[in-house]
Amino acid sequence: MKDFIKKYKFILIFAVMAILAAFFPIGGRSLVFHFFEPHRLADLSKISPYGLVSNLMSMILCRMPIMRILVYGALSTSLFVLMKNVVDNKNSSLLFLAGFFFLLMDKSIFASSFVDFTGFSSYFVGSIFLIILLNVLVKNSLARIKRSSLFVLGLVGTSIVPAYSFVFFFVTLFYLFFESRDENEKEMGSFLLMGEVLGIVHLALSQKLSYSGFSFTLMQRFIPLVSDSNFIALLILSSMVLIGSMKIFSYGRRGKIILAMLGIISFLFSSLLGESVIIKYITYVFFMAGNIYLMFNIRTSQQFRRRITYYFLFKIVTILFLCLFGDVEYGSLVFLSFIDILMILEFYDGVLPKNFMSHAWMLLFVILASANIYIYSKTARKFDEMTIYIKNKLECARDNYSIPNKYYTEYLSNYIPTTREELENYVRYYGIVVLGDIENIDLYFYK
């Protein structure tokens, strides 16, 4: 079994995630990319609020089913490998642990950032590039990477999602001004910066970057979403932090430790029971402050503290730019979920021996992946049944375009058309001859 895991672990992960992706249906806003015919490269930048790289990948995923399966399998495997390498590249159990917690992620975030093709091409791929940057910075490996590779990393990493692009740029500046001490490293970092600047300029010229009211977006959109999603990962991470804090309780500063613990607990309770946005906001601030304080004191290792510093730096800056650009939806929260998973891996790696329970985590990963495959195979069948219902409805009725609630599912996102363009593409894709006026059609679920 040990030799099997060592030889075939990447093939196993690739195969499982590729099979899962085979059941993801195409619908909603993804159909816009299926029929879009760009006459020039610049046209791709105008089809959505995301960058050229994201739009090009969305077109490929929507038009080529085989390529879609291969891309999903390859990028999912790459994500788990990256997460393992950020924490400890010698601890193979972290590979399956990362995959396990990824599949355990909140279903709304999973559906919006992974199952939905446009969410995958923007938020999921954008998150991978942010983790690549995180891995480079925490390991001080700028000087060991080729100049051309750094330039491409900066260019592509800032050409996907506007909010993620500015996170990329800000964190790079922070590293070069406050962390880097080597002149050679700063010189190599300049090539990364040049790519980032070019990517941001391209986004600014090709997209209309909208700046939303920060406080409104933070209070009315971000806080409600973050408090209602990914609770399992936050609970697991908080439990690890609270258990770890008991070890340092006897060493002094008990008052600060108690306050930090109460801050973490308060947000967990407000997420479950609270209704007030103000209370959720206040407890979230206490939750972040409590986590930062306890994590910095649980272990004295400088490498551990440095990684924790970058985890929270990426997390706070991501929240800042998501709220500034108003790009707050379940899909855009996926990178924050990845940071939470990385911190869980940190505790696992720091407390337990290397490769501890790697067989068990592989088995749990396969079991959870199989459960997801079963769920999405059922969801795909339900989607097909709903499509037949909508087809009959549009071809036989002029009004009352409601859809029975039995076809609604939380495992998909943006899967019914909501705009006229999406509806036109939907009708065209499924060969529907609409009886009524398409301008008066509004598809919705029974309430």
Side-chain angles (χ1 to χ4, degrees):
M1 178 63 73
K2 186 176 181 180
D3 292 335
F4 174 83
I5 294 175
K6 186 175 181 180
K7 291 181 179 180
Y8 302 108
K9 56 186 176 184
F10 301 119
I11 297 176
L12 175 64
I13 294 173
F14 175 88
V16 167
M17 300 306 294
I19 293 171
L20 176 61
F23 292 103
F24 296 162
I26 179 173
R29 64 185 182 185
S30 296
L31 287 174
V32 174
F33 291 95
H34 183 82
F35 289 109
F36 183 73
E37 295 292 345
H39 299 289
R40 52 180 181 167
L41 196 61
D43 294 342
L44 270 174
S45 300
K46 300 176 182 178
I47 190 174
S48 82
Y50 308 118
L52 176 64
V53 175
S54 174
N55 295 339
L56 182 60
M57 179 172 286
S58 295
M59 286 187 61
I60 293 172
L61 296 179
C62 293
R63 297 184 182 193
M64 304 171 65
I66 298 299
M67 184 62 69
R68 181 193 314 161
I69 293 172
L70 296 176
V71 168
Y72 265 84
L75 291 186
S76 301
T77 307
S78 300
L79 172 68
F80 305 153
V81 173
L82 269 172
M83 287 184 164
K84 175 184 77 72
N85 290 345
V86 169
V87 178
D88 186 350
N89 58 6
K90 296 181 180 179
N91 192 348
S92 62
S93 62
L94 298 180
L95 182 68
F96 293 106
L97 188 62
F100 175 80
F101 280 106
F102 172 76
L103 294 173
L104 202 63
M105 193 165 51
D106 182 88
K107 58 180 176 290
S108 297
I109 297 178
F110 190 81
S112 300
S113 64
F114 191 70
V115 180
D116 180 67
F117 300 146
T118 55
F120 177 86
S121 302
S122 54
Y123 298 122
F124 184 86
V125 175
S127 297
I128 287 180
F129 277 94
L130 285 175
I131 295 176
I132 292 174
L133 178 66
L134 173 63
N135 189 42
V136 170
L137 298 186
V138 298
K139 294 185 176 179
N140 296 313
S141 57
L142 271 178
R144 299 191 295 272
I145 303 176
K146 293 181 179 180
R147 296 175 181 180
S148 57
S149 299
L150 289 172
F151 180 82
V152 171
L153 174 62
L155 177 62
V156 178
T158 53
S159 301
I160 300 176
V161 181
Y164 286 8
S165 300
F166 282 90
V167 174
F168 211 102
F169 181 68
F170 181 91
V171 175
T172 302
L173 285 179
F174 175 87
Y175 178 83
L176 293 178
F177 279 98
F178 297 103
E179 281 276 310
S180 180
R181 298 291 184 268
D182 183 77
E183 290 300 323
N184 184 42
E185 191 175 56
K186 289 184 177 181
E187 179 185 349
M188 300 300 288
S190 65
F191 287 91
L192 178 63
L193 273 180
M194 282 191 289
E196 292 172 1
V197 171
L198 186 59
I200 290 175
V201 169
H202 169 262
L203 271 180
L205 293 177
S206 60
Q207 303 291 334
K208 184 178 180 182
L209 300 180
S210 58
Y211 297 93
S212 176
F214 177 80
S215 58
F216 174 82
T217 306
L218 177 67
M219 298 296 293
Q220 301 301 321
R221 296 173 64 183
F222 177 78
I223 293 299
L225 284 186
V226 78
S227 60
D228 293 336
S229 63
N230 217 34
F231 183 79
I232 294 178
L234 288 178
L235 180 62
I236 294 172
L237 176 60
S238 300
S239 300
M240 289 180 169
V241 173
L242 293 173
I243 292 172
S245 65
M246 299 302 295
K247 296 180 180 180
I248 60 173
F249 188 78
S250 59
Y251 296 122
R253 293 175 291 182
R254 296 184 178 181
K256 294 180 180 179
I257 293 173
I258 291 174
L259 287 176
M261 294 170 71
L262 289 175
I264 293 173
I265 295 171
S266 65
F267 177 70
L268 295 176
F269 274 101
S270 68
S271 297
L272 284 175
L273 307 173
E275 297 291 337
S276 171
V277 176
I278 299 296
I279 293 176
K280 288 183 178 181
Y281 169 72
I282 294 173
T283 55
Y284 187 71
V285 172
F286 289 155
F287 173 81
M288 290 286 286
N291 270 301
I292 293 172
Y293 179 79
L294 292 177
M295 285 188 180
F296 269 93
N297 288 279
I298 285 175
R299 292 177 61 186
T300 59
S301 168
Q302 291 301 314
Q303 291 183 344
F304 173 82
R305 289 184 173 182
R306 190 166 180 276
R307 288 196 296 269
I308 293 298
T309 299
Y310 274 96
Y311 294 155
F312 281 108
L313 175 65
F314 270 86
K315 194 168 190 176
I316 292 171
V317 174
T318 300
I319 294 171
L320 172 67
F321 283 110
L322 285 177
C323 293
L324 279 175
F325 287 98
D327 189 15
V328 176
E329 59 171 285
Y330 280 115
S332 63
L333 302 182
V334 68
F335 179 66
L336 302 180
S337 300
F338 290 167
I339 293 295
D340 292 334
I341 293 174
L342 282 170
M343 287 193 278
I344 292 173
L345 299 186
E346 284 286 351
F347 275 91
Y348 186 90
D349 181 68
V351 174
L352 298 171
K354 293 285 187 295
N355 304 319
F356 181 72
M357 288 181 62
S358 58
H359 302 91
W361 285 117
M362 183 201 71
L363 182 61
L364 287 172
F365 168 75
V366 171
I367 291 173
L368 190 56
S370 301
N372 275 269
I373 290 171
Y374 173 77
I375 290 170
Y376 277 98
S377 66
K378 299 277 286 186
T379 301
R381 285 196 290 271
K382 181 186 289 188
F383 179 85
D384 292 338
E385 292 174 5
M386 183 195 71
T387 300
I388 295 172
Y389 178 88
I390 293 175
K391 178 180 173 68
N392 293 333
K393 192 82 170 179
L394 295 183
E395 291 181 342
C396 301
R398 291 181 180 273
D399 55 8
N400 186 22
Y401 299 109
S402 57
I403 305 171
N405 233 16
K406 66 179 181 178
Y407 295 125
Y408 175 78
T409 176
E410 294 180 329
Y411 294 100
L412 297 177
S413 174
N414 304 305
Y415 59 100
I416 63 170
T418 56
T419 66
R420 182 179 176 182
E421 183 183 15
E422 290 178 3
L423 184 59
E424 289 175 348
N425 289 323
Y426 186 87
V427 168
R428 181 182 172 189
Y429 184 77
Y430 290 105
I432 301 173
V433 181
V434 180
L435 180 63
D437 188 351
I438 197 170
E439 294 183 356
N440 298 325
I441 294 175
D442 180 23
L443 296 173
Y444 58 90
F445 289 99
Y446 285 145
K447 296 296 184 182

